[in-house]
Amino acid sequence: GQQLNQSPQSMFIQEGEDVSMNCTSSSIFNTWLWYKQDPGEGPVLLIALYKAGELTSNGRLTAQFGITRKDSFLNISASIPSDVGIYFCAGPHANDYKLSFGAGTTVTVRA
Amino acid sequence: GAGVSQSPSNKVTEKGKDVELRCDPISGHTALYWYRQRLGQGLEFLIYFQGNSAPDKSGLPSDRFSAERTGESVSTLTIQRTQQEDSAVYLCASSLESINTGELFFGEGSRLTVL
């Protein structure tokens, strides 16, 4: 299947810091998605990207769809305690409906 | 309810027993997915239902796994003769149709522990 590689695997950050994580693939994706999973919950969609080069913001979150269509990054600005969780990148297989997920980046915020 | 509902939220079972997990999708969502999430790992696709079409079972890891869906409503995932490696959180998700926008709505999951 199409594999998504996320980095870093985990991070400890100070409250107020900016956070950056990325996702790469050996295959081209036409859509990049970023989900967040809070402890004990299912993942929730944060940002969806549909066009190469697209830069999209949602509050303190900013995500970009790489020009090569093989990568994407997610930035969180001025982190707060509720940013704790696991962030997954995901993308649908070409002409398909199944989402492939990365292994996730676990974010822990130190107050 | 307004969201995807899964039950049980936690299930502890002995190796070799059968388990059944239930998912109640958002009303009106025709597409339903089951994913498996092992500890510290990403989500692994298991099976997909879309309306009355034949389900895509390509992600089921063995013939011990099966799933059914009644029309466009409740789905059950059955694991027969459970093994310890089946321990995971089983997540159900639904969407209005096949993924166009990419937004799947997930339930809180059913955590399965096989002793």
Side-chain angles (χ1 to χ4, degrees):
Chain A
Q2 293 168 289
Q3 192 167 353
L4 296 173
N5 302 302
Q6 284 190 248
S7 65
Q9 185 175 20
S10 62
M11 56 172 61
F12 290 82
I13 57 174
Q14 199 75 27
E15 186 176 353
E17 284 182 346
D18 295 346
V19 175
S20 184
M21 61 191 79
N22 70 354
C23 188
T24 60
S25 173
S26 58
S27 303
I28 287 174
F29 281 85
N30 292 319
T31 300
W32 282 92
L33 309 160
W34 286 93
Y35 280 79
K36 183 194 176 198
Q37 185 177 29
D38 289 328
E41 304 283 333
V44 173
L45 182 66
L46 297 175
I47 289 183
L49 302 158
Y50 302 109
K51 190 185 300 184
E54 179 182 357
L55 185 71
T56 297
S57 292
N58 178 6
R60 293 179 297 104
L61 306 177
T62 302
Q64 184 155 31
F65 191 144
I67 289 291
T68 64
R69 292 195 281 158
K70 292 183 178 182
D71 65 324
S72 176
F73 72 75
L74 175 71
N75 286 341
I76 307 171
S77 62
S79 55
I80 60 177
S82 62
D83 290 333
V84 163
I86 306 175
Y87 293 79
F88 293 102
C89 63
H93 296 192
N95 301 317
D96 202 20
Y97 39 74
K98 298 191 285 282
L99 279 185
S100 291
F101 284 81
T105 293
T106 301
V107 172
T108 305
V109 178
R110 287 188 285 251
Chain B
V4 176
S5 177
Q6 291 189 246
S7 62
S9 55
N10 277 288
K11 176 72 176 179
V12 180
T13 190
E14 292 179 347
K15 179 181 171 180
K17 302 275 188 171
D18 297 351
V19 297
E20 191 172 277
L21 308 176
R22 175 188 167 107
C23 173
D24 203 340
I26 293 172
S27 177
H29 281 194
T30 59
L32 186 146
Y33 307 76
W34 283 96
Y35 280 84
R36 178 169 70 178
Q37 185 177 24
R38 288 193 164 121
L39 186 65
Q41 298 186 21
L43 280 65
E44 175 189 359
F45 169 80
L46 297 178
I47 189 169
Y48 163 79
F49 295 91
Q50 170 60 47
N52 294 318
S53 302
D56 178 347
K57 304 179 180 181
S58 60
L60 295 178
S62 78
D63 60 7
R64 296 186 295 104
F65 287 72
S66 63
E68 300 292 332
R69 187 181 185 191
T70 307
E72 293 184 353
S73 60
V74 172
S75 174
T76 55
L77 176 68
T78 302
I79 309 173
Q80 295 178 308
R81 304 181 303 281
T82 52
Q83 303 294 314
Q84 288 182 333
E85 63 262 26
D86 299 335
S87 296
V89 176
Y90 290 83
L91 289 161
C92 176
S94 69
S95 66
L96 274 173
E97 296 177 348
S98 314
I99 299 173
N100 290 317
T101 66
E103 184 157 24
L104 298 189
F105 295 84
F106 284 87
E108 294 183 349
S110 292
R111 180 177 298 277
L112 174 65
T113 303
V114 182
L115 301 177

